[in-house]
Amino acid sequence: MTPPFDPAQQQASTVCLPPGNWATVLDCLCDHFKAIERAQWLDRFTRGRVLDAQGRPIAAELPYRRGMRIHYFREVPNERPIPVQETILHVDEHLVVADKPHFLPVTPTGEYVEQTLLRRLIRRLGNPHLVPLHRIDRHTAGLVLFSANPQTRSAYQRLFPERRIDKHYQAIAAALPQHTFPLIHKSRLEHGEPFFRMHEVPGQANSETLAKVLEKNGELWRYGLSPVTGKTHQLRVHMAALGAGICNDPFYPQLIKEDDDYQRPLKLLAQRLCFADPLTGEQRDFQSQLSLDW
């Protein structure tokens, strides 16, 4: 069931109306977003889900004006519930740290809007200013940091591109006795086909991962993975490239087109985040309460 609309607890998408010859804002939006039917846009206008630059609901008959800034709320009709539950590990004036379960997206994308970690936390904490400071993909579980205060957000955002935060993951995959650990794997990653899959290509490396073995259990090993860079699906691609795709990975090394199997999650966990707080200098060390079983 879609929760009641509360503009204070949801984040709107924004569009500046492009040049054209439309009579109304509705006409422009229908033509600009061809995948959304006119009836659906009319319903959004009626329920106050299309706003002007000041956040006030507007009428579908409002005359079109080039460059007008419009806010609207993405919706997915009959959005499918995701039967997993996140855990909030830390809340203060500036930071929120959550343990994300497998299968839950961090932010709205595609067929997921309300069933995302961001929307769930906004509703739970009543803070519409939450913004994720980094991403982990939907299939990965573990720690995600959120900025809770726009005034201090940039200080925390800089931690990632400036590489002032240590990220530690765990993964379970096939044994790799042919390699000597610890090892560093570097490669150039680019988007492939389909677009959401990454692949290694010739050229200067733009991704780097430190891998070590934490535990051996017959044909499966538990690996500690520390990404130096933060490319999409980096750890998943690098492990597949080493010859041990992470257990239950639906994308690598082969694409498996199946519905989510909640009994077979990807064996990848964002387990620990360490950094010096940019505001206080205090050493922060957050650890996931989740674990990967064999």
Side-chain angles (χ1 to χ4, degrees):
M1 179 182 299
T2 301
F5 173 55
D6 181 354
Q9 295 191 14
Q10 299 193 30
Q11 290 188 333
S13 298
T14 301
V15 61
C16 289
L17 301 188
N21 297 315
W22 301 282
T24 65
V25 170
L26 172 62
D27 293 335
C28 176
L29 292 175
C30 289
D31 202 32
H32 190 64
F33 298 100
K34 298 183 185 298
I36 303 175
E37 296 182 357
R38 188 179 185 88
Q40 189 174 343
W41 276 117
L42 280 169
D43 181 60
R44 291 185 184 184
F45 276 98
T46 300
R47 292 184 290 114
R49 286 183 171 248
V50 183
L51 315 175
D52 63 14
Q54 286 71 47
R56 299 170 301 200
I58 61 177
E61 302 81 23
L62 182 69
Y64 157 82
R65 189 177 74 251
R66 176 179 176 177
M68 183 184 299
R69 186 178 296 272
I70 299 297
H71 305 295
Y72 66 96
F73 294 89
R74 294 186 66 245
E75 296 176 331
V76 174
N78 305 313
E79 186 174 352
R80 180 177 57 187
I82 300 178
V84 295
Q85 183 61 51
E86 73 283 353
T87 301
I88 298 174
L89 301 179
H90 173 86
V91 179
D92 64 33
E93 178 186 356
H94 307 288
L95 279 181
V96 172
V97 183
D99 237 349
K100 186 188 82 66
H102 293 101
F103 301 105
L104 186 67
V106 173
T107 58
T109 180
E111 61 184 301
Y112 304 103
V113 176
E114 298 303 326
Q115 293 295 310
T116 60
L117 181 61
L118 175 62
R119 288 288 180 89
R120 288 185 178 189
L121 293 180
I122 287 174
R123 291 195 297 271
R124 286 180 63 177
L125 299 174
N127 183 356
H129 301 296
L130 288 178
V131 170
L133 293 167
H134 63 122
R135 303 284 200 279
I136 60 175
D137 58 68
R138 188 173 75 86
H139 295 102
T140 304
L143 299 177
V144 184
L145 270 61
F146 289 81
S147 164
N149 187 337
Q151 305 302 318
T152 59
R153 181 164 300 149
S154 63
Y156 290 97
Q157 287 174 326
R158 288 195 297 271
L159 291 172
F160 291 87
E162 295 176 2
R163 299 182 183 177
R164 292 188 286 122
I165 184 165
D166 294 325
K167 297 168 286 184
H168 302 282
Y169 289 70
Q170 288 188 9
I172 292 178
L176 289 171
Q178 69 272 33
H179 291 290
T180 300
F181 290 88
L183 64 77
I184 294 176
H185 185 80
K186 299 180 181 181
S187 68
R188 183 166 191 84
L189 296 183
E190 293 184 358
H191 287 278
E193 291 292 337
F195 71 93
F196 54 81
R197 291 183 81 224
M198 304 293 287
H199 66 151
E200 295 188 331
V201 299
Q204 183 176 1
N206 61 3
S207 63
E208 180 179 345
T209 300
L210 170 65
K212 58 185 178 181
V213 178
L214 301 179
E215 185 180 3
K216 297 181 179 181
N217 184 19
E219 296 182 353
L220 295 178
W221 289 0
R222 185 185 305 272
Y223 297 88
L225 304 175
S226 298
V228 178
T229 53
K231 293 294 183 181
T232 301
H233 296 172
Q234 175 178 318
L235 301 180
R236 299 165 69 172
V237 177
H238 281 183
M239 286 300 296
L242 289 172
I246 297 173
C247 290
N248 304 332
D249 194 333
F251 290 176
Y252 308 98
Q254 285 85 36
L255 178 62
I256 302 172
K257 296 183 178 180
E258 296 178 353
D259 291 336
D260 290 340
D261 183 347
Y262 295 103
Q263 303 306 311
R264 300 183 71 252
L266 174 70
K267 297 296 185 176
L268 180 60
L269 173 68
Q271 194 271 332
R272 188 178 182 188
L273 291 170
C274 308
F275 59 95
D277 191 290
L279 301 183
T280 66
E282 174 189 0
Q283 191 63 36
R284 300 275 201 164
D285 188 343
F286 296 109
Q287 298 190 45
S288 173
Q289 295 178 354
L290 302 172
S291 60
L292 301 175
D293 60 42
W294 291 103

